Amino acid sequence: MAIKIIFYLFIVSGLSYWEAGKMRKNKQMKEMYTYLVIIGITSIIYITHILKFPIPNPLEGIKFIYEPVGQFVDQILGGGAT
């Protein structure tokens, strides 16, 4: 497990160093920061997956927010959903 994480971080850091260097050379600072943020987020998600932490499903959050709104709109429009 630790070997996978170390190998992943080694590969990602090498590729990120290479890509960020090219972006810095071309003065693409916004693209470089965006790239590093996305790589950072995906690295955190991958490491939590390898460590078998429970990762919540984003659709459950969307359902939690929009289900009451949908029921409210359905009641206003005269639908029969309960």
Side-chain angles (χ1 to χ4, degrees), residues 50-68:
I50 291 295
L51 295 175
K52 300 195 187 312
F53 286 132
I55 301 172
N57 185 353
L59 292 178
E60 292 175 12
I62 293 170
K63 180 181 173 186
F64 177 77
I65 293 171
Y66 286 109
E67 190 171 20

Side-chain angles (χ1 to χ4, degrees), residues 8 12-13 15-16 33-45:
Y8 174 78
V12 167
S13 62
L15 291 173
S16 296
Y33 294 137
T34 304
Y35 173 77
L36 293 175
V37 166
I38 291 172
I39 289 293
I41 291 171
T42 56
S43 295
I44 291 169
I45 292 172

Side-chain angles (χ1 to χ4, degrees), residues 66-79:
Y66 286 109
E67 190 171 20
V69 173
Q71 290 174 355
F72 177 71
V73 170
D74 197 34
Q75 288 176 354
I76 288 175
L77 297 177

Side-chain angles (χ1 to χ4, degrees), residues 13-48:
S13 62
L15 291 173
S16 296
Y17 180 77
W18 183 50
E19 285 293 326
K22 289 191 323 187
M23 289 181 197
R24 185 178 298 132
K25 181 180 173 185
N26 294 332
K27 300 192 187 305
Q28 297 174 329
M29 300 309 280
K30 290 180 185 178
E31 291 84 354
M32 182 181 71
Y33 294 137
T34 304
Y35 173 77
L36 293 175
V37 166
I38 291 172
I39 289 293
I41 291 171
T42 56
S43 295
I44 291 169
I45 292 172
Y46 178 73
I47 290 171
T48 56

